[in-house]
């Protein structure tokens, strides 16, 4: 029993900060300029979310999650951590979930007239928080690499790397979804951000605090929406 108690968080991270950030560089060097397409898809999804075109948003985002699952996790991250393949399967499950959500055509508009005022009260706050989170994934996280001295080749970009993809998807979910569908879509992104945040914290990377801040903001947004449970028409 004492042997298990003696373990610390860093004992579960089988790589150093230098190795991890070199992995990011390798991914960026290999897949450039696909980053531009990823950013374009993310920006397009954000514009569509503001217009409440939910089905199109998830149709755009689902292939991105599948790409990150196969390329980021199974081809690269799994070289550092044996659990990378399993996380990749979780990202593939998220891609399938988003595709099913798009095909099913779930919409926040499917609420009763009696609940319209509740939606009106909750939506602006949720959209504001979600918009801020989505922009964090698209812009703030990539910029942090240069601000911390890592350079552009260590920048994490939506559609290529896991962290910005999870962050922006979480923001889009807050903008578009309510009730159990929000929890369903937000579960895997939030779990990954927690795991990645803890990993980066052990590696003493400044990005860890940004991931923790995103998690806190997302929980606030979900709490705001939970005040107004969705009612069927």
């Amino acid at each position: 029993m004492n042997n298990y108690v003696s373990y610390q968080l860093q004992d579960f991270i089988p790589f150093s900060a230098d190795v991890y950030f070199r992995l990011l560089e390798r991914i960026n060097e290999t897949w450039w300029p696909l980053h531009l397409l990823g950013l374009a898809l993310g920006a397009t999804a954000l514009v569509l979310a503001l217009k409440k075109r939910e089905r199109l948003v998830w149709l755009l985002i689902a292939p991105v999650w599948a790409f990150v699952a196969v390329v980021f996790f199974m081809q690269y991250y799994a070289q550092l951590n044996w659990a990378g393949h399993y996380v990749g399967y979780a990202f593939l499950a998220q891609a399938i979930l988003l595709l099913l959500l798009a095909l099913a055509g779930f919409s926040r508009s499917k609420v009763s007239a009696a609940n319209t005022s509740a939606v009106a009260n909750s939506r602006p706050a949720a959209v504001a928080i979600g918009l801020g989170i989505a922009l964090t994934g698209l812009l703030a996280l990539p910029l942090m690499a240069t601000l911390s001295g890592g350079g552009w080749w260590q920048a994490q970009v939506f559609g290529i790397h896991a962290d910005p993809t999870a962050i922006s998807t979480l923001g889009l979910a807050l903008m578009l979804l309510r009730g159990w569908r929000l929890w369903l879509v937000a579960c895997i992104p939030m779990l990954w951000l927690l795991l990645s945040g803890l990993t980066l914290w052990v590696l003493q990377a400044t990005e860890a605090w940004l991931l923790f801040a995103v998690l806190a903001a997302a929980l606030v947004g979900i709490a705001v929406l939970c005040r107004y449970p969705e009612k069927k028409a």
Side-chain angles (χ1 to χ4, degrees), residues 11-233:
D11 296 324
F12 297 94
I13 310 300
F15 48 83
S16 65
D18 290 340
V19 172
Y20 178 75
F21 287 110
R22 176 54 189 156
L23 179 75
L24 297 183
E25 291 179 1
R26 286 170 51 205
I27 295 173
N28 287 332
E29 291 167 357
T30 301
W31 291 97
W32 174 262
L34 196 60
H35 303 63
L36 300 178
L37 177 60
L39 290 172
L41 286 174
T44 301
L46 185 56
V47 172
L48 290 172
L50 290 171
K51 295 181 179 180
K52 294 186 285 186
R53 303 293 299 274
E54 301 175 23
R55 298 182 65 181
L56 290 178
V57 170
W58 305 133
L59 282 175
L60 280 177
I61 298 301
V64 169
W65 276 78
F67 180 87
V68 173
V70 174
V71 173
F72 182 84
F73 284 108
M74 297 182 181
Q75 292 186 9
Y76 289 92
Y77 192 81
Q79 298 175 15
L80 306 184
N81 191 336
W82 60 269
H85 285 289
Y86 297 100
V87 182
Y89 295 141
F91 268 59
L92 281 177
Q94 180 78 1
I96 295 172
L97 172 63
L98 295 177
L99 182 60
L100 292 175
L101 194 66
L103 296 178
F106 283 127
S107 173
R108 290 182 65 179
S109 62
K110 294 179 182 179
V111 293
S112 66
N115 202 36
T116 301
S117 61
V119 174
N121 289 334
S122 64
R123 188 175 186 276
V127 169
I129 295 173
L131 178 61
I133 291 176
L135 289 174
T136 297
L138 286 175
L139 300 176
L141 187 59
L143 289 174
M144 284 197 70
T146 59
L147 297 177
S148 60
W152 285 110
W153 286 114
Q154 290 184 4
Q156 298 191 63
V157 178
F158 175 86
I160 304 294
H161 302 88
D163 290 354
T165 301
I167 291 173
S168 293
T169 302
L170 186 56
L172 293 171
L174 282 167
M175 296 172 68
L176 295 173
L177 302 174
R178 298 179 69 242
W180 63 268
R181 292 190 290 273
L182 173 57
W183 282 107
L184 190 62
V185 172
C187 182
I188 290 177
M190 292 181 71
L191 287 175
W192 168 250
L193 291 178
L194 177 60
L195 178 61
S196 182
L198 291 173
T199 300
L200 293 172
W201 180 69
V202 170
L203 300 179
Q204 299 182 340
T206 55
E207 290 88 347
W209 300 108
L210 181 63
L211 268 57
F212 292 145
V214 166
L215 278 173
L219 289 173
V220 170
I222 292 174
V224 169
L225 289 174
C226 284
R227 293 179 57 192
Y228 305 96
E230 186 176 16
K231 299 178 182 179
K232 295 183 180 180

